[in-house]
Amino acid sequence: MLRCTGCGERFPILEIRYRCDQCNALLEVDTDLEAMRKARKPSEWKELFQERLGHFRPPYASGVWRYHEWILPQIPVERIVTKLEGSTPLYSGETLRRSLDAPAVFIKHEGENPTLSFKDRGMTVGVSWARHIQSKAVICASTGDTSAAMAAYASEVPGLRGIVLLPRDKVTFEQLAQPIASGCLTLALDTDFDGCMRVLQEFCQRHPVYVLNSLNPIRIEGQKTIGIETLQQLQWQPPDWFVIPVGNAGNISALGKGLLEARELGLIDRLPRIAGVQVEAANPLYLSYKNGFREAVSVEAGQTLASAIRIGQPVSYHKAAKVIQQLDGVVEEVGEQAIMDAKARVDACGVSICPNSGAAVAGYLKLRTAGIIGRDERVVLIATAHGAKFSQSTLDYHRSELSGITPRGANPVQPLAATLEAVEQATGFVRTS
Ligand code: F0G
């Protein structure tokens, strides 16, 4: 069943709907935890999920479908469209721990998914469902990562047409290349993300196109595995904190849903806290948090290098506000300098992250300075996309070409004559004979 997050009204899961008729709030999948509890004890679920780690083939080799009974059991295995997404690494190397002066920090690197962002987790479920309900076309508005994922998954389904609405000139060139290459109709609208979202909602009220933005409750079911898989990697010993960048607020809502369900199922014995991080240029959730979530604030999102979270009216505001309160969470905001310096610090440890993930790291460091997160606490920072999708800002940072930013971690390329002497001089190696 689908359940309204506002008034609790319920709808059949096979109905294509994103909002409640009565109160217009977003819907969520009412996961049948009771059936799961009846089927297996917590220790038996853990054993099953562990046993599936030995699989090489779909569906269980996927870090989403490993949890199939928890993630849309209604969908038959043969309808699943998967690229074996998920199973992403949890980095905690020595250079990283030293660089962040954090003995128990982990980076859950969702950029190491097939299309290089966390969106693949939701998209495998969303596109599988589109196939199951025999949609002819899927659509999304995007800041560049949802569109890349949707295009790649949709192109695996014969006869399924993909349409993406992008804010013109506001996604990176790598992100733009992805849907084009996947053969998806790619429309660049003269507006920002919030403008694309508005047009998309108007379009979908009139035409039978399945929406794969995070307002789609089915997609959220896939995304909730970010937290679930991390818990499994930590042997079901929950960290003290998850820190996550926030744009449209779908991902933080999904993370929270997964964690709360894990607790209800008895797979963990306490809940972690969560910290959502926004950029100063696009900080509506931060402002709402500051007013005690009394009202949803919206802003006009300004220029930021964290372009994937340049969103002024988060669609999942209410869901996010609720999970933040349920998980004793906080919301922080960070500026451009802090984002790029934090990204450079993590990149330099061999973990290539995007500026949006850099915002999460910068937010973590800010919360440490404020004494809200302790140095020794176990913290999982969620890196949402790979640095390779945002190479322009990385190069510009290291070349000192970002206006208003003094790159503290710059490592510029050094042009050099093609001689042995020049290389010796540049490297500091001295000839002995
Ligand atoms: N990080 C990256 C790399 C993203 O692409 C996004 C969202 C987020 C963080 C924020 O997640 O919106 O669920 O709060 N990107 C969407 C897109 C909006 O269209 O690709 P959120």
Side-chain angles (χ1 to χ4, degrees):
M1 295 292 278
L2 297 174
R3 177 177 53 205
C4 170
T5 54
C7 67
E9 179 74 23
R10 293 158 71 85
F11 304 94
I13 197 158
L14 277 165
E15 245 180 54
I16 301 182
R17 62 164 61 243
Y18 317 102
R19 291 185 183 275
C20 176
D21 283 344
Q22 313 292 320
C23 70
N24 206 37
L26 293 185
L27 308 177
E28 65 181 359
V29 173
D30 185 7
T31 311
D32 194 350
L33 298 178
E34 198 43 48
M36 284 185 74
R37 267 195 295 262
K38 277 199 192 124
R40 285 188 171 81
K41 296 204 281 275
S43 60
E44 292 169 344
W45 281 116
K46 289 180 190 176
E47 269 166 37
L48 181 71
F49 298 148
Q50 203 62 23
E51 182 267 311
R52 287 178 181 167
L53 288 177
H55 286 237
F56 285 108
R57 289 214 297 248
Y60 299 131
S62 154
V64 172
W65 299 106
R66 184 185 312 140
Y67 312 101
H68 187 189
E69 295 83 350
W70 196 346
I71 313 297
L72 221 62
Q74 294 86 344
I75 190 157
V77 167
E78 62 278 8
R79 298 272 164 76
I80 289 176
V81 184
T82 174
K83 295 178 184 293
L84 304 190
E85 51 292 310
S87 304
T88 54
L90 196 57
Y91 287 107
S92 186
E94 194 177 337
T95 52
L96 181 70
R97 283 182 279 124
R98 279 196 197 180
S99 172
L100 300 181
D101 181 35
V105 77
F106 300 86
I107 291 195
K108 175 67 172 161
H109 204 338
E110 288 295 298
E112 298 195 13
N113 265 301
T115 74
L116 307 184
S117 87
F118 72 95
K119 304 290 183 181
D120 297 335
R121 287 188 189 266
M123 223 37 95
T124 181
V125 180
V127 171
S128 298
W129 195 249
R131 180 183 182 185
H132 182 54
I133 61 177
Q134 297 177 343
S135 296
K136 294 279 169 277
V138 288
I139 191 169
C140 68
S142 181
T143 55
D145 291 322
T146 300
S147 40
M150 193 196 82
Y153 282 81
S155 62
E156 286 206 34
V157 182
L160 182 62
R161 188 166 173 223
I163 306 164
V164 305
L165 308 184
L166 299 176
R168 186 166 167 196
D169 298 332
K170 294 188 182 68
V171 306
T172 69
F173 63 90
E174 295 96 342
Q175 288 175 316
L176 183 60
Q178 289 181 292
I180 299 173
S182 301
C184 183
L185 179 64
T186 306
L187 306 172
L189 274 54
D190 259 326
T191 179
D192 57 9
F193 172 82
D194 299 298
C196 291
M197 203 61 217
R198 195 181 54 247
V199 175
L200 174 133
Q201 299 199 49
E202 286 171 15
F203 182 81
C204 293
Q205 277 163 12
R206 289 167 181 78
H207 306 286
V209 180
Y210 192 50
V211 180
L212 283 175
N213 274 97
S214 56
L215 57 79
N216 180 324
I218 304 289
R219 214 192 92 182
I220 294 296
E221 289 307 286
Q223 269 176 230
K224 78 183 182 190
T225 59
I226 291 184
I228 295 170
E229 184 177 273
T230 306
L231 293 174
Q232 185 176 6
Q233 284 169 310
L234 294 174
Q235 276 94 49
W236 306 98
Q237 300 298 316
D240 297 301
W241 289 89
F242 276 91
V243 184
I244 183 167
V246 178
N248 219 11
N251 207 22
I252 192 168
S253 312
L255 171 69
K257 188 172 192 279
L259 297 175
L260 288 159
E261 289 177 357
R263 175 81 188 86
E264 272 188 63
L265 283 171
L267 296 177
I268 51 173
D269 56 12
R270 65 181 177 81
L271 286 169
R273 297 180 69 186
I274 50 175
V277 184
Q278 296 214 287
V279 290
E280 285 168 3
N283 61 355
L285 193 72
Y286 172 75
L287 297 176
S288 306
Y289 166 74
K290 282 284 166 194
N291 76 29
F293 293 119
R294 276 194 306 278
E295 62 192 35
V297 176
S298 54
V299 301
E300 186 174 333
Q303 175 73 31
T304 171
L305 293 162
S307 53
I309 52 176
R310 182 177 177 174
I311 295 174
Q313 296 171 44
V315 165
S316 295
Y317 164 78
H318 291 285
K319 281 189 182 178
K322 193 167 161 200
V323 297
I324 290 165
Q325 288 164 312
Q326 286 172 304
L327 294 169
D328 193 15
V330 298
V331 185
E332 189 49 275
E333 63 168 359
V334 290
E336 302 296 295
Q337 173 82 50
I339 291 172
M340 293 310 285
D341 284 335
K343 165 174 152 54
R345 268 164 90 169
V346 173
D347 283 352
C349 302
V351 180
S352 172
I353 61 170
C354 68
N356 318 286
S357 312
V361 180
Y364 161 67
L365 295 171
K366 196 168 168 186
L367 290 165
R368 280 266 307 266
T369 307
I372 294 167
I373 300 184
R375 175 180 179 274
D376 296 322
E377 286 194 276
R378 289 172 84 228
V379 179
V380 174
L381 308 176
I382 299 198
T384 45
H386 202 282
K389 286 184 137 190
F390 293 79
S391 53
Q392 187 72 55
S393 57
T394 306
L395 288 172
D396 289 347
Y397 177 87
H398 290 286
R399 285 182 194 136
S400 300
E401 282 178 8
L402 290 177
S403 80
I405 290 181
T406 310
R408 301 207 177 92
N411 178 28
V413 177
Q414 299 176 34
L416 206 64
T419 65
L420 173 63
E421 291 73 21
V423 174
E424 282 177 338
Q425 205 176 7
T427 57
F429 279 99
V430 180
R431 220 177 303 174
T432 49
S433 60

